[in-house]
Amino acid sequence: MGALPKGRALVPGCGSGYDVASVACPERYVVGIDISEGAIKRAIQLFSSSPNANHFIFLKEDFFTWNPTELFDLIFDYTFFCAIEPEIRAAWAERMSELLGPDGELITLMFPIGDLIDGPPYKVSISDYEEVLCPLGFKAISIMDNELAVGPRKGKEKIGRWKKIIKNSTV
């Protein structure tokens, strides 16, 4: 899959914080946000004494209204997209575009790929992501099966890497 970008990273809908703690390192400061106070309390309880605890923070925030002071070099969406109602996916893409720095990368763990009637989680497809990201200038750098998916999820997860393509203007 290649190395993850260094710098500032965001994990929206971070839940119990496992992804936040696992990608945090001296070269990558990670902000995990979740609207659930219970999830944030659990994340703090689980990871506050972690050896890399000074490389991440958990905040109770609403992804759609939160205004951080700096943009991010990496946003890792670990099934956050499938947890929101399909009607607000365009707003999700807008926020991703607003929060990601000019050379930033968006990584999406796409699940569940396949048949699912109700949600959350809501069924997703690669075209669901393309439909909302491409009009905002995002281009898929790679989309591949998640080789690390756990047993029952094998073949139902994909990992997408997306970059915002800045069009050069001619003067």
mmCIF file of all heavy atoms in Angstrom, residues 93-129:
data_model
loop_
_atom_site.group_PDB
_atom_site.id
_atom_site.type_symbol
_atom_site.label_atom_id
_atom_site.label_comp_id
_atom_site.label_asym_id
_atom_site.label_seq_id
_atom_site.Cartn_x
_atom_site.Cartn_y
_atom_site.Cartn_z
ATOM 1 N N ALA A 93 -17.963 14.597 1.637
ATOM 2 C CA ALA A 93 -16.901 14.882 0.662
ATOM 3 C C ALA A 93 -16.460 16.344 0.744
ATOM 4 O O ALA A 93 -15.260 16.643 0.680
ATOM 5 C CB ALA A 93 -17.370 14.531 -0.740
ATOM 6 N N GLU A 94 -17.416 17.251 0.885
ATOM 7 C CA GLU A 94 -17.090 18.678 1.024
ATOM 8 C C GLU A 94 -16.186 18.906 2.233
ATOM 9 O O GLU A 94 -15.204 19.636 2.154
ATOM 10 C CB GLU A 94 -18.364 19.514 1.183
ATOM 11 C CG GLU A 94 -19.178 19.676 -0.077
ATOM 12 C CD GLU A 94 -18.600 20.706 -1.033
ATOM 13 O OE1 GLU A 94 -17.757 21.537 -0.619
ATOM 14 O OE2 GLU A 94 -19.008 20.677 -2.211
ATOM 15 N N ARG A 95 -16.533 18.287 3.364
ATOM 16 C CA ARG A 95 -15.731 18.446 4.580
ATOM 17 C C ARG A 95 -14.338 17.843 4.390
ATOM 18 O O ARG A 95 -13.342 18.408 4.843
ATOM 19 C CB ARG A 95 -16.418 17.790 5.790
ATOM 20 C CG ARG A 95 -17.555 18.564 6.358
ATOM 21 C CD ARG A 95 -17.172 19.975 6.797
ATOM 22 N NE ARG A 95 -16.414 19.939 8.046
ATOM 23 C CZ ARG A 95 -15.592 20.898 8.452
ATOM 24 N NH1 ARG A 95 -15.412 21.969 7.739
ATOM 25 N NH2 ARG A 95 -14.953 20.782 9.586
ATOM 26 N N MET A 96 -14.254 16.688 3.738
ATOM 27 C CA MET A 96 -12.946 16.091 3.469
ATOM 28 C C MET A 96 -12.084 17.057 2.667
ATOM 29 O O MET A 96 -10.918 17.277 2.978
ATOM 30 C CB MET A 96 -13.085 14.760 2.718
ATOM 31 C CG MET A 96 -13.679 13.640 3.547
ATOM 32 S SD MET A 96 -12.606 13.214 4.945
ATOM 33 C CE MET A 96 -13.554 11.895 5.678
ATOM 34 N N SER A 97 -12.686 17.658 1.666
ATOM 35 C CA SER A 97 -11.970 18.609 0.820
ATOM 36 C C SER A 97 -11.523 19.837 1.614
ATOM 37 O O SER A 97 -10.412 20.327 1.443
ATOM 38 C CB SER A 97 -12.858 19.022 -0.356
ATOM 39 O OG SER A 97 -12.157 19.881 -1.218
ATOM 40 N N GLU A 98 -12.381 20.324 2.499
ATOM 41 C CA GLU A 98 -12.064 21.502 3.313
ATOM 42 C C GLU A 98 -10.971 21.219 4.341
ATOM 43 O O GLU A 98 -10.160 22.096 4.636
ATOM 44 C CB GLU A 98 -13.317 21.988 4.051
ATOM 45 C CG GLU A 98 -14.390 22.549 3.159
ATOM 46 C CD GLU A 98 -15.742 22.688 3.863
ATOM 47 O OE1 GLU A 98 -15.845 22.424 5.070
ATOM 48 O OE2 GLU A 98 -16.708 23.053 3.171
ATOM 49 N N LEU A 99 -10.938 20.025 4.895
ATOM 50 C CA LEU A 99 -10.015 19.696 5.980
ATOM 51 C C LEU A 99 -8.658 19.190 5.502
ATOM 52 O O LEU A 99 -7.688 19.200 6.256
ATOM 53 C CB LEU A 99 -10.641 18.641 6.903
ATOM 54 C CG LEU A 99 -11.887 19.078 7.667
ATOM 55 C CD1 LEU A 99 -12.546 17.886 8.347
ATOM 56 C CD2 LEU A 99 -11.539 20.154 8.686
ATOM 57 N N LEU A 100 -8.574 18.757 4.253
ATOM 58 C CA LEU A 100 -7.341 18.184 3.723
ATOM 59 C C LEU A 100 -6.480 19.276 3.104
ATOM 60 O O LEU A 100 -6.960 20.086 2.311
ATOM 61 C CB LEU A 100 -7.691 17.123 2.672
ATOM 62 C CG LEU A 100 -6.590 16.161 2.268
ATOM 63 C CD1 LEU A 100 -6.104 15.330 3.452
ATOM 64 C CD2 LEU A 100 -7.078 15.250 1.157
ATOM 65 N N GLY A 101 -5.209 19.296 3.475
ATOM 66 C CA GLY A 101 -4.271 20.265 2.911
ATOM 67 C C GLY A 101 -4.030 20.012 1.432
ATOM 68 O O GLY A 101 -4.382 18.956 0.905
ATOM 69 N N PRO A 102 -3.393 20.973 0.747
ATOM 70 C CA PRO A 102 -3.199 20.893 -0.707
ATOM 71 C C PRO A 102 -2.467 19.648 -1.193
ATOM 72 O O PRO A 102 -2.771 19.136 -2.246
ATOM 73 C CB PRO A 102 -2.386 22.142 -1.040
ATOM 74 C CG PRO A 102 -2.460 23.016 0.152
ATOM 75 C CD PRO A 102 -2.856 22.186 1.327
ATOM 76 N N ASP A 103 -1.513 19.147 -0.441
ATOM 77 C CA ASP A 103 -0.793 17.941 -0.846
ATOM 78 C C ASP A 103 -1.225 16.728 -0.037
ATOM 79 O O ASP A 103 -0.537 15.716 -0.012
ATOM 80 C CB ASP A 103 0.723 18.149 -0.680
ATOM 81 C CG ASP A 103 1.241 19.201 -1.637
ATOM 82 O OD1 ASP A 103 0.775 19.218 -2.792
ATOM 83 O OD2 ASP A 103 2.084 20.014 -1.215
ATOM 84 N N GLY A 104 -2.378 16.844 0.629
ATOM 85 C CA GLY A 104 -2.839 15.796 1.527
ATOM 86 C C GLY A 104 -3.392 14.581 0.810
ATOM 87 O O GLY A 104 -3.639 14.592 -0.395
ATOM 88 N N GLU A 105 -3.588 13.530 1.590
ATOM 89 C CA GLU A 105 -4.117 12.278 1.058
ATOM 90 C C GLU A 105 -5.271 11.797 1.932
ATOM 91 O O GLU A 105 -5.202 11.862 3.156
ATOM 92 C CB GLU A 105 -3.009 11.229 1.038
ATOM 93 C CG GLU A 105 -3.417 9.942 0.369
ATOM 94 C CD GLU A 105 -2.258 8.978 0.181
ATOM 95 O OE1 GLU A 105 -1.090 9.393 0.207
ATOM 96 O OE2 GLU A 105 -2.544 7.773 0.016
ATOM 97 N N LEU A 106 -6.308 11.343 1.271
ATOM 98 C CA LEU A 106 -7.466 10.746 1.935
ATOM 99 C C LEU A 106 -7.397 9.241 1.717
ATOM 100 O O LEU A 106 -7.276 8.783 0.575
ATOM 101 C CB LEU A 106 -8.764 11.302 1.339
ATOM 102 C CG LEU A 106 -10.071 10.605 1.724
ATOM 103 C CD1 LEU A 106 -10.334 10.707 3.227
ATOM 104 C CD2 LEU A 106 -11.236 11.187 0.928
ATOM 105 N N ILE A 107 -7.444 8.496 2.819
ATOM 106 C CA ILE A 107 -7.484 7.040 2.722
ATOM 107 C C ILE A 107 -8.841 6.586 3.239
ATOM 108 O O ILE A 107 -9.273 7.003 4.312
ATOM 109 C CB ILE A 107 -6.347 6.390 3.520
ATOM 110 C CG1 ILE A 107 -5.000 6.818 2.928
ATOM 111 C CG2 ILE A 107 -6.487 4.865 3.515
ATOM 112 C CD1 ILE A 107 -3.795 6.262 3.623
ATOM 113 N N THR A 108 -9.512 5.776 2.435
ATOM 114 C CA THR A 108 -10.844 5.302 2.806
ATOM 115 C C THR A 108 -10.844 3.784 2.885
ATOM 116 O O THR A 108 -10.411 3.113 1.951
ATOM 117 C CB THR A 108 -11.898 5.746 1.765
ATOM 118 O OG1 THR A 108 -11.499 5.303 0.459
ATOM 119 C CG2 THR A 108 -12.064 7.254 1.761
ATOM 120 N N LEU A 109 -11.296 3.259 4.015
ATOM 121 C CA LEU A 109 -11.542 1.827 4.108
ATOM 122 C C LEU A 109 -13.011 1.650 3.745
ATOM 123 O O LEU A 109 -13.889 2.097 4.475
ATOM 124 C CB LEU A 109 -11.272 1.267 5.495
ATOM 125 C CG LEU A 109 -11.468 -0.252 5.459
ATOM 126 C CD1 LEU A 109 -10.132 -0.962 5.398
ATOM 127 C CD2 LEU A 109 -12.290 -0.722 6.597
ATOM 128 N N MET A 110 -13.249 1.069 2.593
ATOM 129 C CA MET A 110 -14.599 0.938 2.052
ATOM 130 C C MET A 110 -15.205 -0.388 2.495
ATOM 131 O O MET A 110 -14.728 -1.446 2.105
ATOM 132 C CB MET A 110 -14.550 0.989 0.534
ATOM 133 C CG MET A 110 -13.880 2.206 -0.009
ATOM 134 S SD MET A 110 -13.747 2.081 -1.806
ATOM 135 C CE MET A 110 -12.549 3.351 -2.128
ATOM 136 N N PHE A 111 -16.225 -0.280 3.315
ATOM 137 C CA PHE A 111 -16.922 -1.460 3.825
ATOM 138 C C PHE A 111 -18.326 -1.026 4.199
ATOM 139 O O PHE A 111 -18.502 0.066 4.737
ATOM 140 C CB PHE A 111 -16.192 -2.031 5.059
ATOM 141 C CG PHE A 111 -16.942 -3.153 5.727
ATOM 142 C CD1 PHE A 111 -16.885 -4.436 5.221
ATOM 143 C CD2 PHE A 111 -17.739 -2.911 6.836
ATOM 144 C CE1 PHE A 111 -17.589 -5.470 5.827
ATOM 145 C CE2 PHE A 111 -18.455 -3.938 7.451
ATOM 146 C CZ PHE A 111 -18.366 -5.213 6.935
ATOM 147 N N PRO A 112 -19.361 -1.810 4.012
ATOM 148 C CA PRO A 112 -19.382 -3.125 3.372
ATOM 149 C C PRO A 112 -19.615 -3.013 1.872
ATOM 150 O O PRO A 112 -20.562 -2.367 1.439
ATOM 151 C CB PRO A 112 -20.552 -3.808 4.063
ATOM 152 C CG PRO A 112 -21.481 -2.682 4.441
ATOM 153 C CD PRO A 112 -20.612 -1.476 4.666
ATOM 154 N N ILE A 113 -18.742 -3.624 1.128
ATOM 155 C CA ILE A 113 -18.918 -3.743 -0.317
ATOM 156 C C ILE A 113 -19.746 -5.009 -0.511
ATOM 157 O O ILE A 113 -19.346 -6.072 -0.071
ATOM 158 C CB ILE A 113 -17.567 -3.879 -1.043
ATOM 159 C CG1 ILE A 113 -16.671 -2.680 -0.721
ATOM 160 C CG2 ILE A 113 -17.776 -4.133 -2.518
ATOM 161 C CD1 ILE A 113 -16.494 -1.647 -1.757
ATOM 162 N N GLY A 114 -20.886 -4.887 -1.102
ATOM 163 C CA GLY A 114 -21.752 -6.056 -1.283
ATOM 164 C C GLY A 114 -23.188 -5.697 -0.978
ATOM 165 O O GLY A 114 -23.557 -4.533 -0.923
ATOM 166 N N ASP A 115 -23.982 -6.709 -0.768
ATOM 167 C CA ASP A 115 -25.412 -6.504 -0.547
ATOM 168 C C ASP A 115 -25.707 -6.256 0.920
ATOM 169 O O ASP A 115 -25.344 -7.042 1.775
ATOM 170 C CB ASP A 115 -26.199 -7.726 -1.026
ATOM 171 C CG ASP A 115 -26.042 -7.934 -2.522
ATOM 172 O OD1 ASP A 115 -25.934 -6.925 -3.237
ATOM 173 O OD2 ASP A 115 -26.026 -9.095 -2.962
ATOM 174 N N LEU A 116 -26.363 -5.150 1.179
ATOM 175 C CA LEU A 116 -26.802 -4.808 2.516
ATOM 176 C C LEU A 116 -28.037 -3.946 2.348
ATOM 177 O O LEU A 116 -28.026 -2.988 1.584
ATOM 178 C CB LEU A 116 -25.705 -4.050 3.267
ATOM 179 C CG LEU A 116 -25.898 -3.885 4.758
ATOM 180 C CD1 LEU A 116 -25.802 -5.236 5.463
ATOM 181 C CD2 LEU A 116 -24.837 -2.957 5.321
ATOM 182 N N ILE A 117 -29.092 -4.266 3.034
ATOM 183 C CA ILE A 117 -30.360 -3.564 2.838
ATOM 184 C C ILE A 117 -30.412 -2.277 3.661
ATOM 185 O O ILE A 117 -30.537 -1.195 3.132
ATOM 186 C CB ILE A 117 -31.561 -4.471 3.216
ATOM 187 C CG1 ILE A 117 -31.464 -5.842 2.545
ATOM 188 C CG2 ILE A 117 -32.869 -3.782 2.904
ATOM 189 C CD1 ILE A 117 -31.648 -5.869 1.064
ATOM 190 N N ASP A 118 -30.316 -2.409 4.965
ATOM 191 C CA ASP A 118 -30.455 -1.254 5.849
ATOM 192 C C ASP A 118 -29.118 -0.932 6.500
ATOM 193 O O ASP A 118 -28.174 -1.690 6.432
ATOM 194 C CB ASP A 118 -31.493 -1.555 6.936
ATOM 195 C CG ASP A 118 -32.891 -1.734 6.356
ATOM 196 O OD1 ASP A 118 -33.251 -0.965 5.448
ATOM 197 O OD2 ASP A 118 -33.609 -2.649 6.810
ATOM 198 N N GLY A 119 -29.066 0.182 7.188
ATOM 199 C CA GLY A 119 -27.844 0.548 7.891
ATOM 200 C C GLY A 119 -28.184 1.362 9.112
ATOM 201 O O GLY A 119 -29.363 1.542 9.412
ATOM 202 N N PRO A 120 -27.230 1.888 9.804
ATOM 203 C CA PRO A 120 -25.812 1.726 9.489
ATOM 204 C C PRO A 120 -25.280 0.355 9.919
ATOM 205 O O PRO A 120 -25.855 -0.224 10.817
ATOM 206 C CB PRO A 120 -25.142 2.852 10.276
ATOM 207 C CG PRO A 120 -26.082 3.174 11.407
ATOM 208 C CD PRO A 120 -27.458 2.793 10.934
ATOM 209 N N PRO A 121 -24.202 -0.127 9.324
ATOM 210 C CA PRO A 121 -23.518 0.488 8.202
ATOM 211 C C PRO A 121 -24.352 0.386 6.922
ATOM 212 O O PRO A 121 -25.086 -0.576 6.739
ATOM 213 C CB PRO A 121 -22.218 -0.313 8.079
ATOM 214 C CG PRO A 121 -22.564 -1.659 8.624
ATOM 215 C CD PRO A 121 -23.580 -1.409 9.712
ATOM 216 N N TYR A 122 -24.184 1.393 6.077
ATOM 217 C CA TYR A 122 -24.872 1.411 4.793
ATOM 218 C C TYR A 122 -23.952 0.820 3.734
ATOM 219 O O TYR A 122 -22.739 1.007 3.778
ATOM 220 C CB TYR A 122 -25.252 2.840 4.404
ATOM 221 C CG TYR A 122 -26.233 3.456 5.376
ATOM 222 C CD1 TYR A 122 -25.791 4.251 6.434
ATOM 223 C CD2 TYR A 122 -27.598 3.224 5.257
ATOM 224 C CE1 TYR A 122 -26.694 4.807 7.338
ATOM 225 C CE2 TYR A 122 -28.498 3.770 6.158
ATOM 226 C CZ TYR A 122 -28.041 4.561 7.198
ATOM 227 O OH TYR A 122 -28.922 5.097 8.090
ATOM 228 N N LYS A 123 -24.540 0.104 2.791
ATOM 229 C CA LYS A 123 -23.798 -0.483 1.683
ATOM 230 C C LYS A 123 -23.057 0.620 0.934
ATOM 231 O O LYS A 123 -23.577 1.717 0.744
ATOM 232 C CB LYS A 123 -24.782 -1.192 0.755
ATOM 233 C CG LYS A 123 -24.186 -1.761 -0.500
ATOM 234 C CD LYS A 123 -25.310 -2.356 -1.342
ATOM 235 C CE LYS A 123 -24.891 -2.686 -2.721
ATOM 236 N NZ LYS A 123 -24.461 -1.589 -3.535
ATOM 237 N N VAL A 124 -21.828 0.328 0.538
ATOM 238 C CA VAL A 124 -21.053 1.274 -0.252
ATOM 239 C C VAL A 124 -20.447 0.564 -1.457
ATOM 240 O O VAL A 124 -20.308 -0.656 -1.470
ATOM 241 C CB VAL A 124 -19.929 1.943 0.579
ATOM 242 C CG1 VAL A 124 -20.495 2.697 1.755
ATOM 243 C CG2 VAL A 124 -18.889 0.945 1.021
ATOM 244 N N SER A 125 -20.108 1.362 -2.442
ATOM 245 C CA SER A 125 -19.405 0.857 -3.617
ATOM 246 C C SER A 125 -18.339 1.882 -3.980
ATOM 247 O O SER A 125 -18.373 3.022 -3.509
ATOM 248 C CB SER A 125 -20.378 0.682 -4.790
ATOM 249 O OG SER A 125 -20.856 1.945 -5.199
ATOM 250 N N ILE A 126 -17.414 1.481 -4.807
ATOM 251 C CA ILE A 126 -16.382 2.411 -5.262
ATOM 252 C C ILE A 126 -17.043 3.609 -5.945
ATOM 253 O O ILE A 126 -16.652 4.756 -5.721
ATOM 254 C CB ILE A 126 -15.393 1.700 -6.211
ATOM 255 C CG1 ILE A 126 -14.621 0.638 -5.432
ATOM 256 C CG2 ILE A 126 -14.454 2.701 -6.866
ATOM 257 C CD1 ILE A 126 -13.835 -0.327 -6.293
ATOM 258 N N SER A 127 -18.079 3.362 -6.737
ATOM 259 C CA SER A 127 -18.743 4.468 -7.443
ATOM 260 C C SER A 127 -19.423 5.444 -6.477
ATOM 261 O O SER A 127 -19.546 6.624 -6.789
ATOM 262 C CB SER A 127 -19.727 3.950 -8.489
ATOM 263 O OG SER A 127 -20.763 3.228 -7.876
ATOM 264 N N ASP A 128 -19.845 4.979 -5.285
ATOM 265 C CA ASP A 128 -20.412 5.890 -4.285
ATOM 266 C C ASP A 128 -19.373 6.930 -3.855
ATOM 267 O O ASP A 128 -19.694 8.097 -3.651
ATOM 268 C CB ASP A 128 -20.893 5.131 -3.043
ATOM 269 C CG ASP A 128 -22.124 4.281 -3.314
ATOM 270 O OD1 ASP A 128 -22.917 4.625 -4.214
ATOM 271 O OD2 ASP A 128 -22.282 3.257 -2.613
ATOM 272 N N TYR A 129 -18.138 6.494 -3.695
ATOM 273 C CA TYR A 129 -17.049 7.411 -3.335
ATOM 274 C C TYR A 129 -16.719 8.332 -4.506
ATOM 275 O O TYR A 129 -16.575 9.542 -4.340
ATOM 276 C CB TYR A 129 -15.801 6.631 -2.915
ATOM 277 C CG TYR A 129 -15.914 6.004 -1.552
ATOM 278 C CD1 TYR A 129 -16.509 4.759 -1.384
ATOM 279 C CD2 TYR A 129 -15.416 6.649 -0.419
ATOM 280 C CE1 TYR A 129 -16.611 4.167 -0.138
ATOM 281 C CE2 TYR A 129 -15.508 6.062 0.832
ATOM 282 C CZ TYR A 129 -16.111 4.824 0.973
ATOM 283 O OH TYR A 129 -16.212 4.248 2.214
#
